[in-house]
Amino acid sequence: MARAGVLREIGRPFSIEEVELLAPAAGRVIVRTHASPFCSTDVKNWKGQLYKIPPTILGHASIGEVVEVGPGAPAALVGRRVVVPGTPECGACYYCSIGEPWQCGELFDLGGIYPDVARGADGALISCAGCVGGYAELMSISANQVFPIDSDLPSDVLSMLGCGVSTGVGSVVNIAGLRPGESVAIVGAGHLGLWMLQAARAFGAGRIFVIEPHAGRRAIAERLGADLVLDGVDGEATVARVQEATGGRGVDIALEAAGPTAAQRLAVRLTRRGGRTVLSGFEIGGADVALPQVETALQSRQILSTQNGHVHMRTDLQRYAGLLERGLLDPKPVYTRSYALDELDLARDRSGSLEDVCGIVVF
Ligand SMILES: [Zn+2]
Ligand SMILES: [Zn+2]
């Protein structure tokens, strides 16, 4: 038995209840959860904007200790502390075989129908949203989605590796391919944007611009060394200010970490001709982004996608933990506070109201 925060009805309080975890199926492991960040994506999931089907356990990135393995899963995992990121790496699907594990079929070929991992008191099966289900004391996870981590850092800090840190650092390094001295604009200074900002600084960005409507988050971006921080309320004025500060051209790299389609359009418009824009947010399933045609078709601007930072989980998570250990990335400005599982609704409310940059459910 394990306590879990179950999404039983869209838009209703989480049901904190005892569930019976199913015995691990072939290739799966049971992980005793240490910590799971409350990601802003789960506010959208709770509102029913991203097609999650109740009853389900949200929480798509986590950390914990492997306590049991199912048939065919490596027994050596038992007792290991593992990061459970948002993306598996099966090594065998089409995408893994061509070196693009961030589109691993073990997650993305499921069509949004996730494995059942537990049974509620009513006997009905409960799924794990995104194949993780981190808002529970125990998780049933594919052995392809747990990655051992060696670090002296506490689990609450390391829990941020699986979504925010990997997507933030990966967007800068793997996707935008930041070269020393390049100018960077970050649209949205939430938990993802602030990791992008720290990564841009750590990897040698030139001038860094941050566009963020929330005053408290703008203040954090300033403390983290952004050169110019704007509220972005007037899009045209924002583009003009950034162009003015970049020789009339626009930035080399724009990183969007906000969600609204208008923010994605703004990010593209902030770049110079030939600049790169990395889009990461999503507002609601089915939304379209309108982009300026000449600027994208004729002026060589590149529109890039990030999915979990295009990281190779087996190698990059340990490396990114090293960035935290050496202080190149600082968790403090991002990690607002911790929550007990019983406080899951409060964590959601404070994420939705932007009071928290990142709250972490600790067990
Ligand atoms: Zn997330
Ligand atoms: Zn795969």
Side-chain angles (χ1 to χ4, degrees), residues 89-93 96 104-106:
E89 193 169 317
C90 79
C93 73
C96 284
C104 180
E106 194 173 290

Side-chain angles (χ1 to χ4, degrees), residues 88-97 100-107 144:
E89 193 169 317
C90 79
C93 73
Y94 173 79
Y95 288 96
C96 284
S97 73
E100 299 176 11
W102 43 88
Q103 290 296 332
C104 180
E106 194 173 290
L107 177 64
N144 297 322

Side-chain angles (χ1 to χ4, degrees), residues 39-41 60-61 163-164 191:
C39 183
S40 56
T41 304
H60 56 261
C163 176
H191 83 283

Side-chain angles (χ1 to χ4, degrees), residues 129-189:
C131 295
V132 176
Y135 304 146
E137 290 172 335
L138 294 172
M139 302 177 281
S140 171
I141 308 284
S142 163
N144 297 322
Q145 201 165 348
V146 300
F147 302 93
I149 195 90
D150 293 313
S151 175
D152 291 333
L153 289 173
S155 283
D156 51 354
V157 169
L158 294 175
S159 73
M160 293 188 278
L161 282 169
C163 176
V165 172
S166 48
T167 308
V169 175
S171 293
V172 171
V173 176
N174 300 332
I175 303 170
L178 174 72
R179 294 185 285 265
E182 284 191 310
S183 55
V184 174
I186 295 160
V187 180

Side-chain angles (χ1 to χ4, degrees), residues 100-348:
E100 299 176 11
W102 43 88
Q103 290 296 332
C104 180
E106 194 173 290
L107 177 64
F108 292 105
D109 288 343
L110 295 178
I113 308 296
Y114 302 112
D116 292 319
V117 292
R119 205 178 279 282
D122 59 358
L125 291 166
I126 299 168
S127 67
C128 55
C131 295
V132 176
Y135 304 146
E137 290 172 335
L138 294 172
M139 302 177 281
S140 171
I141 308 284
S142 163
N144 297 322
Q145 201 165 348
V146 300
F147 302 93
I149 195 90
D150 293 313
S151 175
D152 291 333
L153 289 173
S155 283
D156 51 354
V157 169
L158 294 175
S159 73
M160 293 188 278
L161 282 169
C163 176
V165 172
S166 48
T167 308
V169 175
S171 293
V172 171
V173 176
N174 300 332
I175 303 170
L178 174 72
R179 294 185 285 265
E182 284 191 310
S183 55
V184 174
I186 295 160
V187 180
H191 83 283
L192 178 55
L194 291 174
W195 288 122
M196 289 170 167
L197 169 56
Q198 295 196 54
R201 286 201 67 193
F203 291 96
R207 297 205 73 191
I208 300 177
F209 307 88
V210 170
I211 293 87
E212 166 58 54
H214 188 275
R217 293 179 173 197
R218 285 202 302 278
I220 298 173
E222 273 168 5
R223 286 202 297 278
L224 283 171
D227 297 285
L228 179 63
V229 180
L230 302 167
D231 64 20
V233 173
D234 182 336
E236 292 307 316
T238 303
V239 172
R241 282 289 301 278
V242 170
Q243 285 181 344
E244 187 189 342
T246 51
R249 292 185 299 273
V251 294
D252 299 303
I253 294 168
L255 306 165
E256 179 274 331
T261 57
Q264 303 197 314
R265 179 183 162 87
L266 174 65
V268 173
R269 295 202 55 221
L270 290 172
T271 59
R272 63 167 170 80
R273 297 197 307 276
R276 291 98 79 196
T277 301
V278 180
L279 304 180
S280 73
F282 33 82
E283 188 167 1
I284 186 167
D288 291 314
V289 183
L291 295 175
Q293 196 172 35
V294 169
E295 286 82 346
T296 45
L298 296 184
Q299 295 183 344
S300 306
R301 287 181 176 80
Q302 299 173 53
I303 317 289
L304 303 164
S305 154
T306 180
Q307 200 304 104
N308 224 163
H310 292 192
V311 303
H312 288 86
M313 298 294 175
R314 290 188 196 288
T315 48
D316 291 345
L317 290 174
Q318 187 68 53
R319 291 177 180 157
Y320 295 177
L323 299 176
L324 288 162
E325 288 164 358
R326 294 199 302 284
L328 286 163
L329 300 176
D330 181 4
K332 284 195 292 294
V334 182
Y335 180 8
T336 311
R337 59 164 286 187
S338 63
Y339 292 92
L341 181 64
D342 288 320
E343 300 173 299
L344 197 55
D345 286 307
L346 179 62
R348 181 206 61 236

